[in-house]
Amino acid sequence: AQSVTQLGSHVSVSEGALVLLRCNYSSSVPPYLFWYVQYPNQGLQLLLKYTSAATLVKGINGFEAEFKKSETSFHLTKPSAHMSDAAEYFCAVRPRSGAGSYQLTFGKGTKLSVIP
Amino acid sequence: DTAVSQTPKYLVTQMGNDKSIKCEQNLGHDTMYWYKQDSKKFLKIMFSYNNKELIINETVPNRFSPKSPDKAHLNLHINSLELGDSAVYFCASSQGDRTFADTQYFGPGTRLTVL
């Protein structure tokens, strides 16, 4: 079964500083990888996804993520944090084939706080 | 227009009651899902459903059942509610074609509180 680990349940950065949120997956075949954001009391919004076309994926709101097969990672970054980035961020995986290939498996989430 | 909508947004009820949460999508998607988010924000798939296939997460109690009157709707029925059912429930939809392009779109969530 596939799983995804997000290191750090809570990350705090200063406004204008680099944002780095970590995600590692475990599966023998690289899955499809996603980052979602959840603002307070809202549903999940897709930030970006990795589909194997390019290892560096650009998403909305200035976020990007790099797929590294050797490290089984898909870390999310943003060069300069903005107050509006404060939210919960979820990494998710979906297998490329087989049973459950419809379904997303989520990490436990990382809460990002931005300090003025 | 809201792509994936859920009603109600908040639901407070007593233990033992039966309740339903409605979900509608206007994206023309073939597959819909229900997720449960617990108090620690952990999201877990409960069901995925299209007109050909229902996949049930084996950990979901049979008190929970999805009902789909048509392709645009997937309602969640919960019988004999328990305290542990308190959570936020999210509906989602996608094309369900299992390709890389298949992206799930989420509703705003329904916060269920069982007293």
Side-chain angles (χ1 to χ4, degrees), chain A residues 102, chain B residues 31-35 45 47-48 90-94 102 104:
Chain A
Y102 284 127
Chain B
T31 303
M32 297 182 72
Y33 313 80
W34 278 104
Y35 289 85
I45 183 75
F47 305 99
S48 63
F90 287 99
C91 177
S93 74
S94 76
D102 193 47
Q104 293 185 22

Side-chain angles (χ1 to χ4, degrees), chain A residues 102-114:
Chain A
Y102 284 127
Q103 298 179 353
L104 289 171
T105 299
F106 283 88
K108 293 191 174 183
T110 298
K111 183 176 181 179
L112 175 66
S113 297
V114 181

Side-chain angles (χ1 to χ4, degrees), chain A residues 32 34 36 38 41-44 46 49 51 88 90 94-96 98-104 106-108, chain B residues 9 31 33 35 37 41-43 45 48 50 53 55 90 96 98-104 106-108 111:
Chain A
Y32 298 126
F34 304 80
Y36 281 86
Q38 184 180 25
N41 298 314
Q42 293 187 28
L44 282 79
L46 180 69
K49 61 183 179 183
T51 61
E88 192 91 24
F90 293 93
R94 181 166 65 84
R96 291 175 180 266
S101 58
Y102 284 127
Q103 298 179 353
L104 289 171
F106 283 88
K108 293 191 174 183
Chain B
K9 189 169 175 62
T31 303
Y33 313 80
Y35 289 85
Q37 186 175 46
K41 300 280 188 176
F42 184 51
L43 273 156
I45 183 75
S48 63
N50 63 24
E53 188 177 26
I55 300 177
F90 287 99
R98 305 194 189 196
T99 67
F100 69 89
D102 193 47
T103 298
Q104 293 185 22
F106 284 76
R111 183 175 295 276

